[in-house]
Amino acid sequence: MSSQELIEKIAFNVIQGRLEAGDEGFDPGLEGQPAVTELMQEALEQGVDPKDIVLGALTRSMEIVGEKFERNEYLIPDMLASAECVGLAMEMLAPHLIKAGIKSKGKFIIATVAGDLHDIGKNIVAIMLKGAAYEVIDLGTDVSVERILEAVREHQAPYVGLSALLTTTMRVMGDVVQRLEDEGLRQQVKVLIGGAPTSAEFAQQIGADAYCKDAFQALDKLKTLET
Amino acid sequence: MIDTFRAGVLVKPYERLSLEQVKRLDEASLHILADPGVWCYNERATQLFKGHGAKVWEEQTTGHRCWRISFPAGLIKEARAMAPSALVLGARKSENRLMLDAEVPRVYFGSGSESNVWIETEVEEFVSLKDNHTKVRVPRYQELRGTTELLGRAASLCDKLEHLDFFIRPLNIQDPGITTTNHDVNKFFASLNNITKHVQAGLTDLGALKNVVRMAEIIAGGQQELRENPLISFIACVFKSPLQIVDDTAEKVFAIVEAGLPLVISSSPQGGSSAPIQEAGMVAQINAEILVGITLTQLIKAGAPVLYGSVPVRARLDDLHDLYGCPEFNQYNIDCVQLARYYKIPCYSTAGVGDAKVPGMQALFEKLFTHLYMAMTGAQYIHYAFGLLDRTNSFCPLQAVLDNEQIGKIKHCLGEPKVRADDVEDALQMVKKVMASGHRLFTRHTRKAMHRGEISSPYQFEAKGMEDKVIENALNYLTQLEAQATPHLDQPTVETIFDEIPGLLPNLKKFKGD
């Protein structure tokens, strides 16, 4: 298979949301055919330029997926399946991108705050961010303020995403923002918050940079926050 | 019998009565038929019953010849055992045929019955008196008298409603050119030329039967073809409750059975006036009436295809009109479904009529209350389910669209459990795979079920914001459906029908492609 054919096939399978050969796609009859994992492996072995993969196979295909979602042709599971494919491809490409001097869109620390074990929303946001070429550092659930600060320092991340589902834990988000201020880290990091009990008003009240009602809004907000 | 038919929904029947209670009601019906028996105004039926062992004597009534008939239990039992337990209702498209089997609780929903009024809807905008920036959009309704044109529109719409399985003419045609003589041919043609699903109606004039059957034969492709694919069938309300066999309807039963086409023996007593309001009395009486009708069909021709047609209703006690959206309606009807199953005769049952006069919350409550309960019983053939309002006095296409969404959800809800051994095996693999992943989300596996159509969608007419826009959204959907092509018959078939069948109104002459 030529480089161009491989890039086109990767793009097609991202749109189909097929991670591995055993996966079905959006269209019927694709099970058993090579998917993103197998095709990426082959592309890397053949020495296809990582930049061409990112631009030709991943970026454009996710735009197409977004357009299909806008037209209600795709639902969230389809969108996430495609994002998951891009996330995996980016992980496989990471060492090659570093060698080629290509940077991700930035490091994004994400966590569900202390006292809260809910992670569905956080995980969906993480998948979508990976799919949009951010380097996601997922700290998991029930994460202390100190642990979040430590991660910001360690990774020098420009973005932090905080999630909470409970009215009793949402206040911890304010503690994070306050501690970032206290430690002199606030200027270097944008704080995005989300979760059922939160709101734009709450984000403003605690001094966060953005409230995101869902993963799609998180991506939109990031575009406006990018420096 | 056939291998292609509409899926309907196969349910696990909900039963209200124990077997002992079913037998008790059966015995009560047989007791009624022996004493006091029934009053029969049709001589031919009387003689037929007499010839098979019924005890008959002439009643003294004013102005009409009438006989009292006392049925021995054995006669009823033997006759009902001759009725087929399974039958096919045909359709213009083979995939729209219905397979009715008394021993298989496969539920189909259809329209009905013969209302006089068509309700047209439009949405109008109103401005607040307090603040002229505040506007609301409100549905406005207009009543139209039924016509052949509107009946054709109803049939065309019902062809496009995914969850409607059969069509009973929902509108009485009252065009200036319609007479008793040509009512039936126009009613059947306005239906058949606009829908590819099964068409059923009552017969207004016995003299029209020959032409109606010939019309159906032309469409089916011949006499034998029509009997193999009976794309039309009939409803006969042979009883005027309580317990009186009507003369002209009995004659229609003879003619329809002799024509070899399926027939519903329907009875609709009103609990509180023409039948007891108490459950046991109502059900024993309606069952007795239906059993006599079925007995008549089987004595005319053993094995004649017949449906057990139960439409027991309750009286409102403030004006003695029918009351549909009430618990007793469900109780009576569920009992009848169980009796039909006990006799192994497919059941024509009833659900979805609103007492409400317009679409809205009352209509939704009344319709859901009966749609869901009656589907749960496993009745094979549920009529009245689409568009009927005002106690069957009006048909509203907008309501039919709303009912379609509701019935679709009910069919989905009552569908067969997907808990086979391989479903469980798949689930175990899925859980292992997801728990080994970083994100622990099942969304990738959700896609499979989603793409197979196993997952229901949100309510079709929901609004995004803090508004209830159900009526407006449903009206937009109705407009979209009505803009789609109507499945008219091809030109040669229509020409043949107009050549052979007298009395058809010229405005109905439309062909495929029009």
Side-chain angles (χ1 to χ4, degrees), chain B residues 224-463:
Chain B
Q224 185 59 27
E225 285 81 356
L226 178 64
R227 273 64 188 184
E228 286 167 5
N229 179 27
L231 44 87
I232 58 166
S233 61
F234 298 91
I235 309 163
C237 301
V238 73
F239 267 90
K240 175 182 179 294
S241 298
L243 298 165
Q244 297 155 88
I245 297 179
V246 181
D247 184 23
D248 72 328
T249 315
E251 284 302 322
K252 290 172 190 166
V253 172
F254 275 99
I256 294 163
V257 171
E258 283 159 0
L261 289 168
L263 172 68
V264 177
I265 290 292
S266 168
S267 182
S268 186
Q270 190 195 58
S273 63
S274 59
I277 201 164
Q278 294 85 353
E279 183 176 8
M282 156 60 90
V283 179
Q285 182 187 307
I286 187 175
N287 185 49
E289 293 174 348
I290 297 166
L291 284 177
V292 169
I294 289 171
T295 298
L296 178 60
T297 64
Q298 300 308 305
L299 296 184
I300 297 166
K301 190 175 175 183
V306 66
L307 276 81
Y308 179 106
S310 45
V311 195
V313 298
R314 211 209 82 183
R316 289 180 68 103
L317 302 183
D318 51 355
D319 61 8
L320 281 193
H321 282 308
D322 288 344
L323 180 65
Y324 285 92
C326 64
E328 290 88 348
F329 178 85
N330 280 330
Q331 292 173 342
Y332 301 155
N333 278 281
I334 295 167
D335 294 357
C336 288
V337 175
Q338 285 193 247
L339 280 157
R341 187 175 298 124
Y342 177 66
Y343 302 138
K344 295 187 172 55
I345 302 172
C347 186
Y348 162 107
S349 188
T350 312
V353 188
D355 297 310
K357 294 186 169 48
V358 294
M361 290 182 73
Q362 184 187 345
L364 179 136
F365 160 74
E366 291 165 344
K367 283 163 168 281
L368 185 60
F369 194 48
T370 56
H371 276 150
L372 180 57
Y373 257 114
M374 295 317 297
M376 285 168 64
T377 66
Q380 284 78 16
Y381 191 86
I382 297 179
H383 86 313
Y384 277 2
F386 288 81
L388 278 193
L389 290 166
D390 192 15
R391 309 181 303 261
T392 76
N393 290 322
S394 56
F395 174 76
C396 176
L398 172 72
Q399 184 63 56
V401 164
L402 292 164
D403 290 334
N404 185 61
E405 170 67 1
Q406 186 156 297
I407 288 166
K409 290 284 184 284
I410 288 170
K411 284 183 173 178
H412 192 107
C413 176
L414 299 181
E416 211 176 348
K418 295 181 186 72
V419 194
R420 296 160 303 195
D422 55 343
D423 294 320
V424 173
E425 185 53 36
D426 284 353
L428 297 178
Q429 293 301 325
M430 194 194 309
V431 171
K432 280 181 193 165
K433 204 169 175 180
V434 168
M435 292 312 288
S437 72
H439 48 67
R440 294 181 178 170
L441 279 171
F442 288 86
T443 47
R444 172 171 293 278
H445 303 276
T446 305
R447 294 180 92 204
K448 265 189 189 178
M450 198 170 86
H451 292 168
R452 282 185 198 140
E454 291 172 3
I455 307 297
S456 66
S457 304
Y459 185 64
Q460 189 181 355
F461 307 120
E462 68 179 1

Side-chain angles (χ1 to χ4, degrees), chain A residues 35-166:
Chain A
V36 171
T37 307
E38 295 81 7
L39 293 164
M40 279 295 299
Q41 194 64 43
E42 194 178 338
L44 293 173
E45 281 167 11
Q46 281 194 24
V48 178
D49 187 341
K51 198 174 169 184
D52 291 345
I53 296 176
V54 172
L55 295 176
L58 307 182
T59 310
R60 178 62 194 135
S61 57
M62 274 312 280
E63 283 169 12
I64 293 170
V65 169
E67 288 161 12
K68 284 175 179 284
F69 183 77
E70 288 294 319
R71 293 196 299 268
N72 294 327
E73 200 178 320
Y74 272 22
L75 294 174
I76 284 179
D78 301 307
M79 186 97 164
L80 286 176
S82 295
E84 211 182 333
C85 291
V86 174
L88 174 95
M90 291 302 287
E91 276 174 29
M92 291 174 81
L93 279 173
H96 304 273
L97 291 170
I98 292 164
K99 267 190 217 166
I102 300 166
K103 290 179 181 171
S104 76
K105 282 188 181 171
K107 290 180 178 177
F108 192 109
I109 292 168
I110 192 164
T112 302
V113 295
D116 203 322
L117 293 168
H118 297 92
D119 64 355
I120 295 174
K122 174 199 61 102
N123 291 348
I124 290 173
V125 173
I127 292 172
M128 292 299 291
L129 290 172
K130 281 183 193 172
Y134 288 89
E135 186 184 340
V136 176
I137 298 143
D138 188 346
L139 303 180
T141 60
D142 190 16
V143 184
S144 68
V145 175
E146 288 309 318
R147 175 80 189 91
I148 293 167
L149 260 65
E150 192 183 308
V152 171
R153 275 194 213 99
E154 182 189 342
H155 297 286
Q156 291 297 301
Y159 307 108
V160 169
L162 303 174
S163 171
L165 189 81
L166 307 174

Side-chain angles (χ1 to χ4, degrees), chain B residues 116 118 145-152 171-176 190:
Chain B
N116 282 313
W118 169 285
R145 301 299 291 175
T147 61
T148 47
E149 187 68 34
L150 290 174
L151 178 58
L171 204 60
N172 184 23
I173 50 175
Q174 300 155 76
D175 311 53

